[in-house]
Amino acid sequence: MPEPASEPVANCSLIRNTSSVCPVCLEVIPARIVSEGREVHMFKECPQHGPYKTYVWPDRDHYQWTNSFRMPVVRPEQTIQSLGGCPDDCGLCSAHQRRPTLVEIELTEKCNLRCPVCFMSAEEIQAKAAPGPDLDALATIYRSILDQTGPDTAIQLTGGEPTMRADLPEIVKLGRRIGFSAIEVNTNGVVLARRPDYARKLAAAGVSGVYMQVDGMTRQVYRTIRGADLLETKLRAVQHCRAAGIQMVLAMTVISGVNELEMGDVLRFALDNRDVVAGVAFQPAFGSGRFDISPDRRLTMGDVAFMLAGQSNGLLEPYDLWPLGCSHPLCSSATYIIEDQGKLVPLTRRITPDDYHREFDPTSPQGSVFPDLAEKLFPGSQSGLSVVVMNYMDAFSMDLERLKECSMTVSRADGCIVPFCSYQLTSLDGTKRKTR
């Protein structure tokens, strides 16, 4: 696990103070973000369970540059009273600083894969997996989200594996009838690949896109992460979405020592298929919720920025990936690759930070921030490829100052909307923190 350390070493300097949680008991404790040489670490100490040191970023200057981007804040329209403080009052509470731009709805805990890295993969757990809310309950959830956030909020249907629901097309239709236009399905792609007609059914229901796991471009990566060779499955799913006219985002879970060297190949695949692939999201693995990985020096958004640049054959540099203004600057970063006079270039080389600040649309969800900006500044330009890097938090890396600016949220069964990282937060033994 991240090494215990009560005090930073001598060649260090304080960057900022924040609050975090103890990885064992999840109680809120003070934390310091500190640079040690060029690296950035978090130091915190629980009175009961001792000190923890967690790696945060590979380069101090890049960390501070990233954190310097501050975009206009649009607070949630409806909140609950803040009583105990973050993260106990999620709902969203009156202390939360940003409105949701995306809300996840969990449709089921069931899945058609048995991924070795997933807590939910055990057969005994799958046998007891809850069936998920019925259509009446989902109608209530949709209407609650609509009342709290408005119709422009993007909806992501997730699980488990949402295609395990035979009524998934009806669930999409229901959301459209209630008033949402952006409804995306988060899937492993297995059903899309096996059933050529399935993508057409989702398209007819009104789905706006598919967010599909793609862990690399070699067979061994899938055997390691998903427990099966799924490369051809992923390629067929892309073909079937193309035929149905459904745009896709490829979501790559990046795990140190497993598939981090395949990010460049996934980027090139996405660029070669951008008639159907609208974006690629690189997600460094984190240890909350259902995902079981070693906490030793996990990859972060900063690591991915430098690694992806090194694998892009000169297309990207680390400083081409700008923070997405819809959330805290350390939570997600992106660029938008466009074609300019026959050459692929990042949009962030054609605009200035002042342009970004002036034209930023706070209602744009994560993957749409820079495409929306490109449409404003360069009307009539061809569609490009969004490249997004997420920076999810777990019990080791939890930074409550970041959590207060989260715009990527989850709708609980009780109707409360909570930040994604708060919803997924678990202790070392898999226990969730009790909230009101």
Side-chain angles (χ1 to χ4, degrees):
M1 66 172 58
E3 57 192 279
S6 57
E7 289 296 331
V9 297
N11 63 332
C12 70
S13 60
L14 177 68
I15 296 177
R16 62 186 177 93
N17 292 306
T18 186
S19 297
S20 185
V21 297
C22 170
V24 178
C25 62
L26 298 183
E27 288 299 309
V28 175
I29 55 177
R32 292 171 291 168
I33 307 298
V34 172
S35 66
E36 287 191 318
R38 296 213 61 82
E39 293 184 352
V40 178
H41 297 262
M42 174 185 284
F43 289 83
K44 57 186 179 181
E45 184 167 359
C46 174
Q48 183 177 357
H49 299 106
Y52 293 90
K53 172 185 175 182
T54 301
Y55 169 74
V56 172
W57 213 269
D59 183 89
R60 177 193 64 238
D61 294 341
H62 186 259
Y63 176 91
Q64 293 180 312
W65 172 83
T66 301
N67 196 36
S68 70
F69 279 73
R70 296 291 170 176
M71 307 303 285
V73 170
V74 178
R75 291 181 178 272
E77 294 182 6
Q78 295 187 27
T79 59
I80 62 173
Q81 184 180 3
S82 179
L83 298 175
C86 192
D88 289 333
D89 295 327
C90 285
L92 298 164
C93 80
S94 56
H96 204 79
Q97 298 178 24
R98 293 190 183 272
R99 66 178 295 276
T101 57
L102 181 144
V103 182
E104 288 190 356
I105 302 175
E106 288 195 352
L107 301 184
T108 180
E109 293 181 351
K110 294 184 179 296
C111 189
N112 50 11
L113 292 179
R114 299 294 181 264
C115 303
V117 295
C118 181
F119 292 135
M120 297 295 292
S121 65
E123 292 294 343
E124 62 270 20
I125 295 177
Q126 278 293 301
K128 299 176 183 178
D134 60 21
L135 288 176
D136 288 340
L138 285 166
T140 300
I141 292 171
Y142 272 131
R143 292 191 181 98
S144 176
I145 297 170
L146 187 70
D147 290 344
Q148 294 179 71
T149 70
D152 293 331
T153 303
I155 301 294
Q156 187 177 90
L157 303 176
T158 184
E161 171 52 44
T163 61
M164 295 290 285
R165 294 278 301 246
D167 57 353
L168 181 58
E170 292 304 314
I171 294 172
V172 174
K173 289 179 184 178
L174 177 63
R176 293 299 298 264
R177 285 197 302 270
I178 286 174
F180 294 102
S181 59
I183 301 177
E184 178 181 66
V185 173
N186 184 342
T187 178
N188 57 34
V190 171
V191 174
L192 283 168
R194 290 177 180 169
R195 295 173 49 187
D197 65 320
Y198 195 76
R200 293 195 296 271
K201 289 182 178 179
L202 289 179
V207 77
S208 59
V210 163
Y211 192 84
M212 188 179 77
Q213 293 171 357
V214 172
D215 299 313
M217 301 307 298
T218 62
R219 301 178 189 280
Q220 185 55 48
V221 159
Y222 292 99
R223 295 188 187 105
T224 301
I225 300 177
R226 306 298 167 190
D229 177 4
L230 297 175
L231 180 58
E232 291 301 323
T233 297
K234 305 296 182 178
L235 298 179
R236 283 196 303 273
V238 172
Q239 293 170 1
H240 294 163
C241 283
R242 173 183 282 118
I246 298 177
Q247 73 172 16
M248 309 182 76
V249 173
L250 309 182
M252 181 178 182
T253 299
V254 187
I255 305 175
S256 180
V258 177
N259 66 341
E260 78 273 24
L261 299 181
E262 298 201 20
M263 288 189 289
D265 292 333
V266 171
L267 175 62
R268 281 181 281 277
F269 176 82
L271 286 167
D272 290 342
N273 292 275
R274 60 186 186 275
D275 62 308
V276 60
V277 178
V280 56
F282 296 98
Q283 302 172 170
F286 66 113
S288 290
R290 302 186 176 105
F291 212 65
D292 182 17
I293 61 167
S294 168
D296 294 333
R297 198 177 175 90
R298 294 170 181 155
L299 296 176
T300 69
M301 186 167 81
D303 293 303
V304 170
F306 282 89
M307 289 179 173
L308 182 61
Q311 296 174 34
S312 69
N313 296 334
L315 176 60
L316 295 175
E317 296 294 337
Y319 287 86
D320 290 329
L321 293 159
W322 291 10
L324 290 171
C326 56
S327 58
H328 190 283
L330 296 172
C331 287
S332 53
S333 61
T335 191
Y336 186 55
I337 298 175
I338 58 175
E339 191 168 335
D340 183 17
Q341 298 180 351
K343 183 179 179 182
L344 295 175
V345 295
L347 174 70
T348 44
R349 291 187 195 172
R350 294 191 59 187
I351 63 174
T352 67
D354 286 343
D355 294 331
Y356 185 25
H357 193 277
R358 183 179 64 253
E359 301 294 341
F360 168 70
D361 182 353
T363 67
S364 297
Q366 280 81 357
S368 299
V369 168
F370 284 111
D372 290 349
L373 197 68
E375 190 172 337
K376 284 184 180 179
L377 296 175
F378 306 102
S381 59
Q382 292 184 339
S383 297
L385 180 79
S386 287
V387 179
V388 178
V389 184
M390 305 302 296
N391 201 30
Y392 297 125
M393 298 182 289
D394 57 24
F396 289 103
S397 59
M398 178 59 66
D399 181 339
L400 296 183
E401 292 305 309
R402 286 175 52 191
L403 193 68
K404 292 175 183 177
E405 294 193 47
C406 179
S407 67
M408 182 177 174
T409 58
V410 181
S411 178
R412 290 195 318 222
D414 61 4
C416 288
I417 295 175
V418 301
F420 176 85
C421 291
S422 175
Y423 182 81
Q424 299 290 348
L425 180 63
T426 56
S427 65
L428 284 176
D429 65 2
T431 302
K432 284 197 172 187
R433 181 183 173 91
K434 292 183 180 180
T435 57
R436 71 173 184 179

